[in-house]
């Protein structure tokens, strides 16, 4: 549609230029003879003048319409470009939110993981369990409440495997968060909570929990796509 609209404009524009400079064009003998032959059926000079004026008016009108369409096309193109730029800004904004959501959550989970290691946690020791829950529940795991929408909006930006892992990470963070607040301290629930926490870290290196490579790679991907400096 856009190609046809531009083509129509340029055809009419060329005709208009030729019409405007027709006195010069008619200086060419061949062109003059061709025009005289074309107007030969119109024997009345007044009728010829009217015919030429009508043609000029028609060309001017069509040129005005074509110009309007071309201008509208330029406006549409600019608006499309602005919409695409806005879309990219929104995508980057959401990537930044997800990146810091996960990064800060990992840091908080590291504190909880460190509590497990330092306290030599024993699931059969009720006092240890209560002590752990009392301390760990004070750590507030915060994630954006619109995380599902944020992650889903990146379906065209991220590989399916990365997207699936991010959904799983958020799900596990929510499970840890609710597990720490839960009053259920049964053996099953405690073991489940410990497994959720421990999956994020592979151990303690130089006194600092070491994040599982699987999750640090996801942070790296988000950082690269979002062009995040520092962090």
């Amino acid at each position: 549609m856009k190609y046809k609209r531009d083509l129509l404009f340029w055809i009419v524009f060329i005709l208009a230029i030729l019409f405007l400079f027709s006195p010069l064009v008619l200086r060419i003998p061949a062109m003059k003879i061709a025009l005289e032959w074309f107007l030969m059926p119109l024997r009345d000079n007044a009728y010829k003048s009217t015919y030429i004026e009508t043609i000029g008016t028609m060309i001017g009108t069509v040129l005005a319409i074509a110009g309007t369409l071309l201008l509208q096309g330029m406006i549409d193109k600019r608006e499309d470009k602005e919409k695409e730029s806005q879309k990219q800004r929104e995508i980057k904004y959401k990537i930044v939110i997800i990146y810091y959501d996960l990064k800060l959550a990992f840091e908080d989970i590291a504190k909880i993981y460190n509590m497990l290691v330092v306290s030599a946690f024993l699931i059969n020791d009720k006092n240890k369990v209560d002590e752990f829950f009392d301390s760990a529940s004070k750590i507030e795991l915060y994630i954006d409440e619109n995380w599902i929408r944020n992650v889903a909006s990146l379906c065209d930006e991220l590989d399916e495997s990365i997207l699936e892992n991010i959904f799983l990470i958020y799900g596990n963070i929510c499970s840890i968060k609710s597990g720490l607040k839960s009053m259920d301290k049964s053996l099953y629930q405690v073991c489940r909570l410990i497994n959720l926490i421990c999956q994020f870290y592979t151990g303690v290196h130089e006194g600092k929990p070491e994040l599982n490579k699987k999750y640090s790679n996801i942070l790296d991907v988000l950082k690269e796509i979002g062009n995040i400096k520092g962090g």
Side-chain angles (χ1 to χ4, degrees), residues 5 8-9 12 57-73:
R5 182 172 58 196
L8 174 63
F9 171 80
V12 177
T57 301
M58 291 175 61
I59 291 176
T61 302
V62 175
L63 183 63
I65 295 173
T68 301
L69 292 175
L70 181 64
L71 178 61
Q72 184 61 48

Side-chain angles (χ1 to χ4, degrees), residues 193-223:
L193 181 60
I194 292 173
N195 287 332
L196 285 172
I197 295 170
C198 290
Q199 71 170 317
F200 287 100
Y201 292 91
T202 58
V204 178
H205 180 67
E206 296 181 353
K208 183 179 180 181
E210 189 168 358
L211 185 63
N212 190 314
K213 191 69 174 175
K214 172 183 176 180
Y215 303 119
S216 61
N217 286 342
I218 289 176
L219 287 179
D220 290 340
V221 169
L222 292 172
K223 187 174 183 179

Side-chain angles (χ1 to χ4, degrees), residues 142-157:
Y142 173 80
I143 54 176
D144 191 279
E145 60 182 12
N146 295 316
W147 69 266
I148 294 178
R149 185 182 301 174
N150 290 340
V151 178
S153 67
L154 302 181
C155 60
D156 294 329
E157 309 298 323

Side-chain angles (χ1 to χ4, degrees), residues 51-119:
Y51 176 79
I52 294 173
E53 288 176 2
T54 302
I55 293 297
T57 301
M58 291 175 61
I59 291 176
T61 302
V62 175
L63 183 63
I65 295 173
T68 301
L69 292 175
L70 181 64
L71 178 61
Q72 184 61 48
M74 294 171 63
I75 294 174
D76 291 343
K77 185 177 181 181
R78 185 179 64 183
E79 288 179 350
D80 290 342
K81 187 176 180 180
E82 290 176 353
K83 288 180 181 178
E84 181 61 26
S85 297
Q86 178 64 24
K87 179 183 176 182
Q88 292 302 318
R89 285 194 295 270
E90 290 176 357
I91 288 173
K92 183 177 179 181
Y93 174 72
K94 289 176 181 179
I95 289 176
V96 171
I97 289 176
I98 294 172
Y99 173 80
Y100 283 105
D101 248 5
L102 299 185
K103 185 174 184 295
L104 296 176
F106 289 159
E107 291 176 359
D108 288 334
I109 294 173
K111 297 174 185 177
I112 299 171
Y113 178 82
N114 214 36
M115 291 178 186
L116 291 173
V117 175
V118 173
S119 64

Side-chain angles (χ1 to χ4, degrees), residues 13-199:
F13 180 76
I14 291 172
L15 290 175
I17 292 298
L18 291 175
F19 188 81
L20 179 65
F21 290 97
S22 57
L24 295 177
V25 174
L26 291 176
R27 290 178 179 272
I28 302 174
M31 295 298 296
K32 182 178 181 181
I33 293 172
L35 182 62
E36 289 176 348
W37 173 84
F38 181 75
L39 296 176
M40 189 179 298
L42 308 177
R43 300 185 181 279
D44 184 52
N45 289 332
Y47 190 71
K48 289 181 181 180
S49 299
T50 302
Y51 176 79
I52 294 173
E53 288 176 2
T54 302
I55 293 297
T57 301
M58 291 175 61
I59 291 176
T61 302
V62 175
L63 183 63
I65 295 173
T68 301
L69 292 175
L70 181 64
L71 178 61
Q72 184 61 48
M74 294 171 63
I75 294 174
D76 291 343
K77 185 177 181 181
R78 185 179 64 183
E79 288 179 350
D80 290 342
K81 187 176 180 180
E82 290 176 353
K83 288 180 181 178
E84 181 61 26
S85 297
Q86 178 64 24
K87 179 183 176 182
Q88 292 302 318
R89 285 194 295 270
E90 290 176 357
I91 288 173
K92 183 177 179 181
Y93 174 72
K94 289 176 181 179
I95 289 176
V96 171
I97 289 176
I98 294 172
Y99 173 80
Y100 283 105
D101 248 5
L102 299 185
K103 185 174 184 295
L104 296 176
F106 289 159
E107 291 176 359
D108 288 334
I109 294 173
K111 297 174 185 177
I112 299 171
Y113 178 82
N114 214 36
M115 291 178 186
L116 291 173
V117 175
V118 173
S119 64
F121 188 68
L122 298 174
I123 60 175
N124 292 322
D125 187 332
K126 185 178 183 305
N127 291 331
K128 287 284 188 179
V129 171
D130 290 339
E131 181 182 335
F132 167 74
F133 271 85
D134 288 342
S135 300
S137 61
K138 294 176 183 177
I139 297 176
E140 186 66 34
L141 287 171
Y142 173 80
I143 54 176
D144 191 279
E145 60 182 12
N146 295 316
W147 69 266
I148 294 178
R149 185 182 301 174
N150 290 340
V151 178
S153 67
L154 302 181
C155 60
D156 294 329
E157 309 298 323
L158 300 174
D159 291 339
E160 185 177 348
S161 59
I162 297 291
L163 201 66
E164 183 179 352
N165 281 327
I166 292 176
F167 270 115
L168 289 174
I169 291 171
Y170 268 108
N172 289 335
I173 292 173
C174 290
S175 295
I176 293 173
K177 186 175 181 178
S178 61
L180 291 173
K181 302 295 184 182
S182 175
M183 299 301 294
D184 184 359
K185 298 178 184 178
S186 64
L187 181 61
Y188 170 77
Q189 291 296 337
V190 172
C191 289
R192 178 173 177 273
L193 181 60
I194 292 173
N195 287 332
L196 285 172
I197 295 170
C198 290
Q199 71 170 317

